[in-house]
Amino acid sequence: MDKKEFAQRRKTLMNMMEPNTVAILPAAPMRLRNRDVEYAYRQDSDFYYMTGFPEPQAVAVLIPGRKHGEYVLFCRERDPDAEIWNGLRAGQEGAVERFGADDSFPIEDIDDILPGMLENKQRVFYTMGTHPDFDQRLIGWVNHLRKQARAGIHTPSEFVSLDHLLHDMRLIKSSQEVTMMRQAAVISAEAHRRAMQACRPGMKEYQIEAEIMHTFMKHGARSSAYGSIVGGGPNGCILHYTENTDTLRDGDLLLIDAGAEFEYYAADITRTFPVNGKFNPQQRSLYDITLEAQAAAIEQIRPGKHWNEPHEAAVEVITDGLVKLGLLKGTTRKAIKDETYRKFYMHRTGHWLGMDVHDVGDYKVGGEWRVFEPGMTLTVEPGIYIPAGMKGVAKKWWNIGIRIEDDILVTKKGCEVLTKDVPKQPDEIQALMSAVA
Ligand code: GLY
Ligand code: MN
Ligand code: MN
């Protein structure tokens, strides 16, 4: 991502802010894992989207119209001793020269400097509740200003969440963002192919997870975008299964939901395939319904269609399929109306995808489903889940959990499947799995 794009984003946001306002974005806090060890640091997505600045202990302030510069970045000072232990810091000079700040101050001085930036401003754009410790500090600065009211200082009277402006920007991906998402998708697709080829009865779920992480890391995606789900048999019916400790059994399906994060952008892919390479008849019939549901949903994605249309299409195919197999009683229409299909398909067909796997952006605008526009990215992930013991369902159907998930870019004319490099047709899956037998 080049510096110009970050500068352009700040400009766009400041153009939407009225005069006499300030926006404040804190970096993500560091989190302790245990004594002396921190969790791998991941910058806050909103902060990174606006700054491209990867370090912790930083605060970005946007002040439209400020004479000494509209973009101020508070960050850590250079410190040769600390840098020997924990790595280089940009410092104030780097903040200006490399990261495009107009002005930069040491983070230690923020208590002295930031309240002055709020003085006599009408409105502060800040998202409360994401970083509670920082919320408290901001309240402290505002209270400090209030005490000076008799000296003629006016305290901002409105605090407005930044979400609406910022998240609407994040919802539509630029061509540079699409390049990153494409790369995340390509890496993740290769990881899923590797997993299919490696899978054998008797292996542990985490051994498959290791194959996936190997491919992510090898291509510079140093983290997954979310905890990988590698669930054999019954575990495929647990939607957010991440233990990944069971043994994979002959005759079971394996559901893998895993995606890489590349340069802050996520992929999110699910494939379901037989541990031994061959679907049994029950698995195959439910798989075919899920695949058809996914195709029907993707068919609904193009500019002008709205957010819920893919979901409606998937529900229709799944319900109809389950009725035809006798797993749902009555007519398809009634099963949809009464939502009896939800016993088998209890989640939605997708979500926005971007810097966060469940990305930002409203799904409804003014009470209406959002209409697709070019540059939006989303997942399409229908599924069917039949855990053991499901009432009214014969035993031969138990322990089948299937989900098929791809990442989609809305284009001018329709859409593009970014994750098409992983097979999902049963024949292709079987061919890939037996290729290295
Ligand atoms: N991997 C999380 C999801 O599919 O939504
Ligand atoms: Mn998903
Ligand atoms: Mn997923």
Side-chain angles (χ1 to χ4, degrees):
M1 200 77 64
D2 67 30
K3 253 168 75 174
K4 272 194 235 135
E5 178 147 341
F6 291 109
Q8 186 56 48
R9 290 173 189 168
R10 291 190 292 270
K11 206 167 149 207
T12 305
L13 181 65
M14 284 196 272
N15 283 341
M16 291 191 283
M17 293 163 58
E18 294 98 77
N20 218 23
T21 59
V22 181
I24 301 175
L25 294 114
M30 295 187 282
R31 298 237 184 257
L32 209 59
R33 185 171 186 274
N34 54 30
R35 286 171 68 91
D36 292 346
V37 179
E38 272 142 15
Y39 282 104
Y41 186 72
R42 167 40 160 93
Q43 188 55 279
D44 176 90
S45 296
D46 282 342
F47 180 90
Y48 192 84
Y49 183 81
M50 277 301 168
T51 64
F53 193 69
E55 294 181 22
Q57 296 181 292
V59 177
V61 187
L62 301 178
I63 316 165
R66 179 174 178 262
K67 279 209 194 68
H68 305 294
E70 299 181 306
Y71 168 34
V72 179
L73 185 60
F74 291 89
C75 62
R76 302 179 301 189
E77 281 184 279
R78 298 294 308 264
D79 178 341
D81 287 340
E83 288 178 42
I84 284 174
W85 287 91
N86 296 321
L88 299 182
R89 301 171 171 189
Q92 282 59 61
E93 217 177 282
V96 172
E97 278 170 17
R98 287 175 28 226
F99 293 95
D102 295 317
D103 213 351
S104 175
F105 300 102
I107 189 75
E108 280 80 17
D109 296 346
I110 195 166
D111 287 330
D112 298 328
I113 299 172
L114 199 130
M117 293 172 166
L118 304 179
E119 257 180 52
N120 300 325
K121 293 282 183 283
Q122 178 64 25
R123 177 181 287 183
V124 177
F125 287 95
Y126 172 74
T127 303
M128 287 274 176
T130 308
H131 302 303
D133 292 346
F134 194 83
D135 294 353
Q136 291 308 315
R137 295 188 70 187
L138 182 59
I139 291 166
W141 293 323
V142 171
N143 283 336
H144 177 75
L145 278 185
R146 284 205 182 110
K147 288 198 190 116
Q148 299 173 52
R150 263 171 288 164
I153 289 175
H154 175 81
T155 311
S157 55
E158 292 172 51
F159 285 79
V160 179
S161 173
L162 248 183
D163 289 10
H164 299 294
L165 300 181
L166 189 47
H167 293 178
D168 246 30
M169 289 170 67
R170 279 179 55 190
L171 180 58
I172 310 286
K173 274 67 181 175
S174 70
S175 64
Q176 287 194 48
E177 290 184 287
V178 169
T179 303
M180 303 300 173
M181 293 200 59
R182 230 181 254 292
Q183 190 59 14
V186 165
I187 294 169
S188 305
E190 185 181 323
H192 276 262
R193 291 199 307 271
R194 186 181 169 100
M196 282 179 188
Q197 288 180 297
C199 184
R200 296 285 177 279
M203 284 178 81
K204 292 285 190 183
E205 291 165 343
Y206 55 72
Q207 292 178 312
I208 300 294
E209 186 182 1
E211 300 293 332
I212 290 166
M213 290 312 294
H214 171 92
T215 303
F216 288 0
M217 288 276 211
K218 197 174 69 172
H219 294 293
R222 302 286 298 281
S223 173
S224 43
Y226 52 91
S228 301
I229 297 166
V230 183
N235 299 331
C237 299
I238 304 170
L239 296 181
H240 287 163
Y241 175 79
T242 49
E243 286 164 46
N244 303 350
T245 46
D246 274 353
T247 303
L248 296 171
R249 283 183 300 262
D250 203 345
D252 278 351
L253 291 177
L254 172 58
L255 183 154
I256 302 179
D257 183 345
E261 180 174 292
F262 181 77
E263 298 288 336
Y264 285 87
Y265 286 85
D268 184 6
I269 304 180
T270 308
R271 288 292 183 270
T272 310
F273 56 91
V275 168
N276 65 12
K278 278 189 110 59
F279 288 93
N280 73 26
Q282 288 73 34
Q283 293 166 347
R284 178 64 193 259
S285 51
L286 294 176
Y287 188 89
D288 287 346
I289 296 169
T290 313
L291 191 58
E292 192 190 329
Q294 204 216 22
I298 294 172
E299 184 81 7
Q300 295 299 314
I301 302 175
R302 59 176 173 273
K305 288 277 185 180
H306 69 63
W307 171 258
N308 211 39
E309 286 178 277
H311 182 62
E312 286 163 4
V315 165
E316 168 110 33
V317 173
I318 286 174
T319 309
D320 198 46
L322 293 173
V323 166
K324 284 190 177 126
L325 289 176
L327 290 166
L328 279 174
K329 307 274 170 281
T331 64
T332 301
R333 252 181 77 193
K334 182 129 173 42
I336 291 174
K337 191 165 156 277
D338 298 346
E339 298 193 346
T340 50
Y341 67 85
R342 292 193 61 173
K343 180 168 146 188
F344 301 93
Y345 180 36
M346 63 300 286
H347 60 77
R348 296 207 35 105
T349 302
H351 49 82
W352 303 128
L353 181 73
M355 298 182 80
D356 300 327
V357 62
H358 291 176
D359 207 30
V360 297
D362 292 329
Y363 292 96
K364 278 191 169 178
V365 178
E368 301 291 330
W369 291 112
R370 186 151 210 150
V371 173
F372 292 123
E373 293 172 44
M376 290 175 167
T377 43
L378 64 148
T379 67
V380 175
E381 49 181 305
I384 298 176
Y385 311 90
I386 310 185
M390 190 186 258
K391 275 210 184 93
V393 173
K395 205 170 168 186
K396 63 178 179 180
W397 298 103
W398 292 0
N399 292 323
I400 297 180
I402 297 169
R403 179 163 65 255
I404 305 171
E405 176 174 28
D406 281 296
D407 303 344
I408 315 289
L409 167 70
V410 183
T411 60
K412 277 198 188 114
K413 292 203 175 128
C415 70
E416 180 190 336
V417 181
L418 300 176
T419 45
K420 59 183 172 314
D421 298 346
V422 208
K424 57 187 171 185
Q425 298 298 333
D427 297 350
E428 289 170 5
I429 291 175
Q430 287 185 10
L432 181 64
M433 291 183 73
S434 57
V436 287

